[in-house]
């Protein structure tokens, strides 16, 4: 009887220990869930660009630390930083710096970009001659220097050819629809013309015979 009583007491103690562990695990999970809810609510209160600002701040802190290490070691930080940049990344950054974002900022910037594109397509020999003449013109203080044109017929032909290429390129990218004078006029305004084109696109093949009968005057 004593052994049976001891065995029952041991089983009860074991069950109570397991129950206590389950209670502890539940309380721990409850506290953890509550902490996660608090963190999530705090995240919702932050600005929309908080993650980007955080990454930028971390990057600035890391950069300042790297600058301090380079200064302490007596090294040039810019040279040390470039050691971690690959050739492809450096080339891409250089192209991006030269090209810019491509968006319109001002007419002066747009004209400057067009000028750079026009200069870059010149052959090296012509470009060197152009740069020499440009420098000579800048050093010339005569106010009447623009009245002494020295453009050759070949240079003028090249300019005309270049301008014609620009016009042809604009035609390819233009959204303006060319007007066909020989096409039948079956509209009263531009809106009606677009509607008729849409009808023709969806139902044209089904109404060919009806349209021919109307044109011949044989429609029933």
């Amino acid at each position: 009887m004593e052994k049976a009583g001891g065995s029952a007491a041991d089983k009860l103690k074991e069950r109570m220990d397991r129950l206590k562990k389950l209670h502890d695990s539940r309380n721990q999970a409850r506290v953890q869930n509550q902490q996660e809810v608090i963190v999530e609510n705090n995240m919702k209160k932050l600005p929309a660009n908080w993650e980007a600002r955080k990454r930028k701040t971390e990057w600035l802190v890391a950069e300042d630390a790297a600058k301090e290490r380079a200064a302490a070691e007596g090294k040039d930080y810019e040279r040390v930083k470039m050691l971690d940049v690959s050739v492809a990344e450096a080339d891409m950054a250089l192209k991006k710096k030269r090209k810019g974002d491509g968006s319109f900022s001002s007419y002066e910037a747009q004209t400057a970009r067009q000028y750079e594109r026009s200069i870059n397509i010149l052959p090296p020999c012509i470009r060197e001659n152009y740069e020499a003449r440009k420098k000579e013109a800048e050093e010339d203080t005569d106010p009447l220097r623009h009245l002494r044109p020295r453009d050759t017929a070949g240079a003028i032909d090249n300019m005309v050819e270049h301008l014609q290429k620009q016009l042809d390129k604009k035609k390819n990218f233009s959204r303006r629809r060319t007007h066909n004078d020989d096409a039948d006029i079956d509209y009263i305004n531009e809106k009606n013309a677009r509607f008729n084109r849409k009808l023709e696109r969806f139902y044209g093949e089904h109404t060919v015979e009806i349209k021919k009968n109307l044109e011949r005057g044989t429609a029933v």
Side-chain angles (χ1 to χ4, degrees):
M1 293 294 294
E2 185 177 353
K3 290 182 179 180
S7 178
D10 292 339
K11 289 183 179 180
L12 179 61
K13 185 177 181 303
E14 182 181 356
R15 290 176 180 175
M16 293 301 295
D17 291 340
R18 290 172 58 188
L19 182 62
K20 186 176 182 303
K21 289 181 180 179
L22 289 175
H23 279 295
D24 293 341
S25 299
R26 185 185 64 178
N27 292 334
Q28 186 178 0
R30 182 183 299 168
V31 172
Q32 186 176 358
N33 290 337
Q34 186 176 5
Q35 291 176 351
E36 291 178 356
V37 169
I38 294 174
V39 171
E40 186 176 356
N41 289 333
N42 292 334
M43 290 288 292
K44 290 181 179 179
K45 296 177 182 178
L46 294 173
N49 61 341
W50 181 80
E51 288 291 341
R53 291 168 61 182
K54 179 182 177 183
R55 289 194 298 269
K56 183 177 180 180
T57 303
E58 293 175 351
W59 178 80
L60 291 174
V61 171
E63 187 179 27
D64 291 339
K67 287 181 179 179
E68 292 178 359
R69 286 196 302 269
E73 296 174 0
K75 298 179 180 179
D76 185 4
Y77 172 71
E78 295 298 331
R79 293 177 62 87
V80 173
K81 183 174 68 173
M82 292 303 295
L83 293 176
D84 297 331
V85 179
S86 64
V87 177
E89 292 174 347
D91 189 31
M92 186 179 299
L94 182 60
K95 288 182 179 179
K96 186 176 181 181
K97 183 178 180 181
R98 288 177 177 175
K99 186 177 180 181
D101 58 356
S103 60
F104 178 83
S105 57
S106 64
Y107 289 104
E108 291 80 4
Q110 193 77 7
T111 304
R113 282 199 293 268
Q114 178 63 33
Y115 170 77
E116 290 294 334
R117 285 196 297 266
S118 301
I119 294 301
N120 290 332
I121 63 176
L122 292 175
C125 57
I126 299 179
R127 192 184 310 171
E128 292 176 0
N129 186 22
Y130 169 78
E131 293 295 339
R133 292 181 59 185
K134 179 181 177 182
K135 185 177 180 181
E136 180 183 349
E138 291 175 352
E139 294 175 353
D140 191 356
T141 58
D142 185 4
L144 302 178
R145 62 182 181 275
H146 298 294
L147 301 179
R148 304 194 303 268
R150 294 185 297 173
D151 296 324
T152 62
I156 296 175
D157 293 338
N158 291 334
M159 181 190 67
V160 173
E161 182 181 358
H162 178 62
L163 292 176
Q164 188 61 43
K165 288 181 179 179
Q166 289 184 5
L167 293 175
D168 295 339
K169 188 175 181 181
K170 285 183 179 180
K171 288 181 181 178
N172 295 332
F173 289 97
S174 177
R175 293 182 58 85
R176 184 182 296 277
R177 303 297 188 265
T178 56
H179 178 70
N180 186 7
D181 295 331
D182 297 331
D184 295 334
I185 299 178
D186 56 354
Y187 55 88
I188 58 176
N189 52 36
E190 186 63 27
K191 184 177 181 181
N192 181 240
R194 289 196 299 269
F195 181 74
N196 290 343
R197 287 196 295 268
K198 187 180 295 184
L199 289 178
E200 181 67 24
R201 186 165 63 250
F202 288 102
Y203 304 107
E205 59 179 346
H206 306 293
T207 59
V208 174
E209 192 64 29
I210 298 175
K211 190 174 182 180
K212 289 182 179 179
N213 291 334
L214 290 173
E215 291 175 352
R216 290 194 299 262
T218 58
V220 178

